[in-house]
Amino acid sequence: MIRVLAIDDEPLALQQLTTYIQKIPFLELTGQCQSAIEAKEILNQEPVDAIFCDINMPDLNGMEFVKSLAAPPLVVFTTAYSEYAVEGFQVNAVDYLLKPFGLDDFRRAANRLQERLATTTPSSSLPTPTSSDEDDTIFLKTDYKVVKIAISDIRYVEGMSEYLKLHLKSTPKPLITLLSMKKFEEYLPSYFMRIHRSYIINLKEIQEVNKNRVIMDADTYLPIGDNYKEAFNDYLSTKFLGK
């Protein structure tokens, strides 16, 4: 499935766009929004493979929005203004849909999107993190590029279906990668522990344990799952001083 975001400031156009997305079997609608500002917030929180984006929008138009992204997903532009076509392809857009467009036009754009994604996605179903023998770094694929991170920089890992969200000490923006919790857990050293089916934490980053929650900072409270409680309590007992 290709996870897509629909962006258009006109409610009727946005409704038509989402209806078309839902008619294509290999597209999964992750969200819809009426401004580039709202779209940025969604992209910071959710893994998205592609966006269908109107160009002529208030505050920040679709073209400038895409140019502002450090690692933009694949893009299909939608607009009523044909003069944007050349500029759209200059930012490597997959396709350009001129309003009003029908389902057949949309399906052709979706097929081109699928073909482009196939050429940029590894043939294996899941990327494998590669570790360095000299230090604690690993390499992960995110936003169609490979990045190096230090394992010690990871505060905690959050599982989201087929994706992982890595919360780092060095940046407020989490890193999102297509990988399973089980696979990633194999690469982590002993100071990491899984405390919930959706969370692996860096034990060195714990600030407090309160009942069935691990407090990582003032804004981050992570639950301790029943299946992981015994192992976590055993760890605490090895560090606990006092009665």
Side-chain angles (χ1 to χ4, degrees):
M1 295 291 285
I2 301 174
R3 296 169 58 87
V4 300
L5 177 65
I7 311 166
D8 199 305
D9 66 309
E10 299 177 5
L12 291 179
L14 183 61
Q15 181 57 52
Q16 182 193 51
L17 188 57
T18 57
T19 299
Y20 285 170
I21 290 172
Q22 291 165 347
K23 289 181 180 293
I24 306 299
F26 55 82
L27 297 184
E28 178 185 351
L29 182 65
T30 62
Q32 52 183 304
C33 46
Q34 292 184 251
S35 74
I37 304 302
E38 184 182 352
K40 271 194 172 184
E41 294 177 358
I42 294 176
L43 290 175
N44 286 335
Q45 299 173 5
E46 298 289 339
V48 173
D49 300 311
I51 58 175
F52 287 85
C53 183
D54 185 26
I55 293 180
N56 191 30
M57 295 188 293
D59 298 326
L60 181 64
N61 73 43
M63 194 71 64
E64 295 304 319
F65 163 61
V66 172
K67 290 178 180 179
S68 73
L69 299 175
L74 298 181
V75 181
V76 174
F77 283 120
T78 65
T79 185
Y81 301 93
S82 59
E83 61 267 25
Y84 285 114
V86 173
E87 189 178 359
F89 287 111
Q90 286 176 347
V91 297
N92 202 29
V94 173
D95 208 345
Y96 180 96
L97 288 169
L98 187 62
K99 298 177 181 179
F101 54 86
L103 180 58
D104 287 342
D105 295 322
F106 182 85
R107 184 178 288 110
R108 280 192 292 270
N111 289 336
R112 288 172 183 160
L113 184 63
Q114 187 180 45
E115 291 169 2
R116 175 76 70 86
L117 193 61
T119 64
T120 57
T121 303
S123 57
S124 59
S125 59
L126 289 176
T128 300
T130 304
S131 62
S132 166
D133 294 332
E134 299 179 357
D135 52 31
D136 74 336
T137 58
I138 57 174
F139 293 86
L140 289 170
K141 189 171 186 294
T142 180
D143 293 331
Y144 306 103
K145 61 184 177 181
V146 176
V147 298
K148 182 174 79 169
I149 64 170
I151 295 177
S152 58
D153 190 35
I154 302 172
R155 297 178 60 241
Y156 66 98
V157 181
E158 181 180 358
M160 305 186 306
S161 185
E162 298 175 345
Y163 291 84
L164 295 183
K165 183 183 288 188
L166 276 62
H167 298 264
L168 308 177
K169 291 183 279 185
S170 60
T171 174
K173 182 179 179 180
L175 183 152
I176 297 174
T177 187
L178 178 62
L179 196 64
S180 71
M181 290 282 276
K182 186 176 185 300
K183 186 74 172 177
F184 191 65
E185 193 173 8
E186 296 173 1
Y187 284 81
L188 295 174
S190 59
Y191 59 87
F192 282 85
M193 178 176 286
R194 192 164 183 174
I195 62 165
H196 187 274
R197 63 184 180 86
S198 299
Y199 294 103
I200 299 172
I201 64 170
N202 183 337
L203 296 169
K204 298 179 180 180
E205 294 298 307
I206 296 175
Q207 290 191 4
E208 186 180 332
V209 179
N210 188 338
K211 296 182 180 179
N212 291 324
R213 300 183 302 177
V214 173
I215 301 173
M216 306 298 287
D217 57 49
D219 300 314
T220 308
Y221 295 70
L222 305 181
I224 303 171
D226 291 340
N227 293 336
Y228 304 91
K229 190 177 300 182
E230 182 177 354
F232 183 68
N233 287 337
D234 287 345
Y235 162 77
L236 289 181
S237 67
T238 65
K239 301 291 183 180
F240 187 76
L241 298 180
K243 298 181 180 180

